[in-house]
Amino acid sequence: MVKRVLVLLALLGLAVGARYNLGTPISEELVAQYDLRPAVLPDGRGLPPGEGKVEEGERIYAEKCASCHGARGEGYPFNRLVAEPFPITKDTEPAEFAIGNYWQYATTLYDYIRRAMPFGAAGTLTNEEVYHLVAFLLYMNGIIDAHEPINQKTLPQVKMPARELLELDPETKRRFPWLTLP
Amino acid sequence: MDRRKFFRLLGAGGLFGLLKAKAQTLPWDEDTFAPMKTLGAPLSEYGQRSPFEEGVVRYISPNLRTRHSGADFAPLEKLEGVITPNGLHFERHHGGVPQVDPAKYRLVIHGMVERPLVFTLEDLKRFPSVTRTYFIECAGNGQNGYRNPPDPQLTATRSRGLASNASWTGVPLALLLKEAGVKPEAKWLIPEGMDAAAYTRSLPLEKAMEDVLVAYAQNGEALRPEQGYPVRLVVPGWEGSIQVKWLRRILVTDLPAMAKDETSEYTDVMADGKVWAFTWIMDPESIITYPSGLQQIKPGFHEIRGLAWSGYGRITKVEISFDEGKTWRQATLEPPVERYAFVRFKMPWHWDGKEVVLWSRAWDEKGNTQPTREEFFKKWGRNNRYHYNAIQAWRILPDGRVVNGDRPLGQQAFGPMGGCGGEVFDG
């Protein structure tokens, strides 16, 4: 056993030592420039400063989103965004899945809208506009009320009803025992 | 006509005369000899398939509302062997196929690392390389199995064609991570694509250190744009959606992103109403490609052919049943039988012209096999969109037509669910 551990350590040492000196080191400033649409983590890391307001979001939504997701987020021609604030059941059809009944993390909304919407013009929204849209969509789904401020601090605290349905695939848990869902 | 008479005629009028006089009785016609009469095409710089094969194409559902987010299917029953030709590898993307200039291409690794690094394509190609054959399968493969009653028009393509198999060449991701020096607190990687969706997922560091490839070649040539040109992740045995294409950066961190495509999509609604996250590993699959849905066969000898694969490793056996699962016979596996790769299975068979239903099921090295439709729905929800791997049945009718042999489950109509937007747009 001790011998095996020693061999393993030696191998690890070799592996750590063996570098190819390929690729160019870059500063954190350059990384930040390259990171056009930073990933937002469930604990709020990656969220920029700023604050969302429901009325502002309503205006931006009508202008930039309604044509694809419906005037009230009912979803035509593309995904439904608005649902009752209750999680789905096993009988809910996937076409009915939306933010209020299926999304498990509020931070995902910020990450995704900044990353990929509006479809075909991704990257054109300001950080502030994204906050407004997130506030509006959470409000429309009955998750927050009209005057709740949405920002770096509050967004990770917003509880999504569908989170209670979410479980880790047992096979994934078996392979990665350390893994838990945020 | 007997042989002597044939040769006499040949001597008298020549073959040509004979062809003219008795065209219907000959098993060929004049055109059979046409290619020998003129020079063929000259050398060409990039070979194209025969124009007669132009009908062998990916299947794109007419129900999609946009072809910029959707999937198309590899035409499995029209292919032989195990390698999916590059132009027929199934596609799935969320914001169209970007055109990336390889000279402008960059990959950045940053976050919880000692040295954030930027790589050019040339840098990546200078690392020690690995070439392996792996399948890639969309989590939504099999989505047509969610339909009830089953679709009578189903083909092997539409049953399991959101899977393909290729020889991938690239650098092990572990080497790039060592180069950057991963900090001890890191547990997760968040890879990102340079497409319009800036597509992201979360991948545990452990898997990356095991066998993930940063691939730049597919079946010997550069990746096809639909497959992530110039660089994609290949994550052996795991769902296709985690194998980020057009890879532009990897954030090394200690939490998963819970990105839209691992929460709103690619999560599974189970029979008990729970939703499973991170259903990464692809369960065993098999599909008989011949004879299969909408084909037509004649009585007599046939070689039953099909494909099998599993995200748990190597396929150990494939069985075929001719009596809806009462008895099973073992098919031959054509070597090499590799881990996380398609294997071709075969069985000689004489069709006596009577109606019969064919089933196939694959077994992998961990002892997993495929459930029946009934068994499948005991675990997975009727309204789920992904990971359908139940046995596919093909029914041979007395007139030789082959149709979907799956039996309805109860009276209630379901589906199609459109996981990955293969058949209907689901975002």
Side-chain angles (χ1 to χ4, degrees):
Chain A
M1 183 64 202
V2 176
K3 212 165 139 198
R4 256 171 75 193
V5 169
L6 281 178
V7 169
L8 233 156
L9 282 177
L11 275 174
L12 263 171
L14 257 182
V16 169
R19 277 179 50 207
Y20 297 90
N21 289 313
L22 293 169
T24 310
I26 47 170
S27 64
E28 289 298 341
E29 292 72 56
L30 280 181
V31 168
Q33 273 182 40
Y34 186 83
D35 197 0
L36 300 178
R37 303 176 205 165
V40 174
L41 303 185
D43 65 359
R45 265 178 288 170
L47 283 173
E51 191 159 289
K53 293 192 186 62
V54 172
E55 346 46 290
E56 283 294 300
E58 182 166 20
R59 189 182 52 73
I60 304 165
Y61 180 88
E63 189 191 323
K64 299 188 171 171
C65 320
S67 59
C68 288
H69 294 290
R72 314 292 297 164
E74 69 279 9
Y76 197 86
F78 296 117
N79 308 51
R80 169 186 279 272
L81 300 181
V82 172
E84 298 286 316
F86 314 113
I88 59 135
T89 72
K90 64 184 170 55
D91 299 317
T92 313
E93 290 195 12
E96 304 298 314
F97 293 4
I99 294 161
N101 63 3
Y102 199 75
W103 286 49
Q104 305 103 23
Y105 301 89
T107 46
T108 309
L109 256 186
Y110 196 98
D111 179 86
Y112 183 67
I113 294 171
R114 175 164 68 176
R115 179 170 296 291
M117 287 295 134
F119 196 66
T124 57
L125 298 171
T126 65
N127 283 342
E128 200 75 17
E129 284 179 311
V130 177
Y131 269 126
H132 294 320
L133 286 165
V134 170
F136 173 66
L137 287 171
L138 288 173
Y139 167 74
M140 288 296 284
N141 279 280
I143 310 257
I144 62 168
D145 50 50
H147 303 291
E148 242 169 283
I150 286 299
N151 57 40
Q152 254 172 341
K153 253 220 187 76
T154 58
L155 187 61
Q157 307 300 326
V158 173
K159 290 269 170 295
M160 300 297 280
R163 175 64 187 84
E164 68 197 42
L165 296 181
L166 201 69
E167 286 181 354
L168 198 54
D169 175 350
E171 178 60 25
T172 298
K173 185 74 193 165
R174 199 186 62 72
R175 282 209 192 182
F176 306 100
W178 54 267
L179 203 163
T180 51
L181 291 172
Chain B
M1 157 180 347
D2 70 18
R3 268 179 55 193
R4 239 175 298 149
K5 201 169 159 199
F6 177 88
F7 281 113
R8 238 183 293 133
L9 256 172
L10 210 99
L15 186 57
F16 214 62
L18 182 92
L19 278 169
K20 262 196 175 148
K22 287 263 181 187
Q24 309 90 308
T25 64
L26 278 176
W28 50 70
D29 62 32
E30 273 179 64
D31 287 344
T32 306
F33 308 114
M36 303 171 77
K37 292 180 183 160
T38 53
L39 287 174
L43 301 172
S44 61
E45 282 169 325
Y46 193 88
Q48 303 295 330
R49 59 189 177 165
S50 160
F52 297 102
E53 295 300 316
E54 275 165 13
V56 180
V57 290
R58 293 189 279 232
Y59 172 76
I60 302 178
S61 168
N63 298 326
L64 288 178
R65 288 191 204 136
T66 168
R67 288 187 176 192
H68 287 98
S69 175
D72 56 29
F73 300 70
L76 296 185
E77 69 274 22
K78 293 176 181 156
L79 303 176
E80 304 293 343
V82 291
I83 293 293
T84 313
N86 288 347
L88 297 174
H89 193 292
F90 89 89
E91 294 181 78
R92 194 322 176 217
H93 28 76
H94 290 259
V97 177
Q99 193 181 57
V100 182
D101 177 348
K104 302 285 157 73
Y105 173 80
R106 296 292 182 276
L107 169 63
V108 167
I109 298 185
H110 69 114
M112 294 177 175
V113 293
E114 304 295 341
R115 295 166 292 279
L117 290 175
V118 56
F119 298 96
T120 62
L121 182 57
E122 197 192 328
D123 292 334
L124 297 179
K125 289 185 175 174
R126 280 180 61 194
F127 278 94
S129 67
V130 166
T131 299
R132 292 274 188 286
T133 302
Y134 292 129
F135 75 80
I136 296 182
E137 181 181 17
C138 180
N141 201 21
Q143 59 189 259
N144 275 301
Y146 284 106
R147 286 176 198 242
N148 199 52
D151 179 359
Q153 297 298 318
L154 197 68
T155 58
T157 295
R158 287 180 53 237
S159 172
R160 290 301 193 281
L162 291 179
S164 294
N165 191 62
S167 156
W168 304 99
T169 303
V171 42
L173 178 51
L175 293 188
L176 304 185
L177 291 170
K178 270 180 210 148
E179 210 63 24
V182 174
K183 292 187 175 163
E185 64 271 29
K187 286 200 172 75
W188 288 91
L189 305 179
I190 319 249
E192 179 185 71
M194 56 174 74
D195 56 336
Y199 186 84
T200 42
R201 289 288 296 260
S202 309
L203 178 73
L205 179 62
E206 248 170 285
K207 175 71 173 171
M209 299 311 282
E210 212 178 288
D211 57 7
V212 174
L213 281 185
V214 174
Y216 44 77
Q218 173 187 4
N219 293 329
E221 59 181 0
L223 300 181
R224 286 294 162 97
E226 312 94 281
Q227 293 313 318
Y229 180 85
V231 175
R232 74 172 300 164
L233 287 183
V234 173
V235 184
W238 287 22
E239 60 187 15
S241 54
I242 203 167
Q243 313 196 25
V244 175
K245 302 189 280 189
W246 315 289
L247 182 69
R248 76 181 289 272
R249 66 96 164 251
I250 296 174
L251 169 65
V252 181
T253 185
D254 57 358
L255 269 187
M258 308 318 289
K260 176 265 217 180
D261 288 294
E262 55 202 7
T263 55
S264 164
E265 289 188 64
Y266 306 110
T267 43
D268 290 75
V269 182
M270 308 307 288
D272 63 3
K274 294 287 185 193
V275 176
W276 284 10
F278 298 153
T279 43
W280 292 319
I281 302 160
M282 297 309 293
D283 288 318
E285 289 269 27
S286 72
I287 178 86
I288 295 174
T289 54
Y290 180 84
S292 64
L294 303 191
Q295 289 175 340
Q296 174 87 42
I297 66 167
K298 295 183 183 128
F301 176 79
H302 295 275
E303 182 180 66
I304 297 174
R305 295 179 194 158
L307 292 166
W309 62 95
S310 169
Y312 287 82
R314 209 170 264 106
I315 291 295
T316 49
K317 68 177 170 187
V318 176
E319 295 173 308
I320 296 177
S321 173
F322 298 86
D323 52 15
E324 297 187 89
K326 285 183 211 67
T327 60
W328 294 91
R329 284 165 54 191
Q330 206 166 322
T332 306
L333 300 185
E334 183 147 88
V337 183
E338 294 175 283
R339 303 189 78 201
Y340 314 125
F342 278 10
V343 58
R344 178 62 69 174
F345 66 86
K346 301 172 167 192
M347 182 181 286
W349 176 57
H350 185 92
W351 185 46
D352 58 10
K354 293 202 192 90
E355 183 159 330
V356 62
V357 176
L358 306 187
W359 282 15
S360 69
R361 72 176 177 201
W363 293 80
D364 65 30
E365 61 181 274
K366 295 277 153 59
N368 302 301
T369 191
Q370 295 174 256
T372 61
R373 256 172 94 67
E374 232 163 347
E375 288 162 354
F376 180 86
F377 286 114
K378 286 193 181 123
K379 178 175 165 192
W380 304 78
R382 281 294 186 100
N383 279 333
N384 188 30
R385 295 170 282 178
Y386 309 105
H387 293 284
Y388 181 90
N389 77 323
I391 290 165
Q392 173 68 56
W394 298 124
R395 180 179 295 274
I396 323 282
L397 300 172
D399 63 4
R401 275 185 305 134
V402 188
V403 295
N404 189 356
D406 287 349
R407 290 181 183 275
L409 276 181
Q411 298 300 306
Q412 211 175 333
F414 286 90
M417 296 312 172
C420 306
E423 289 277 339
V424 290
F425 178 83
D426 85 326

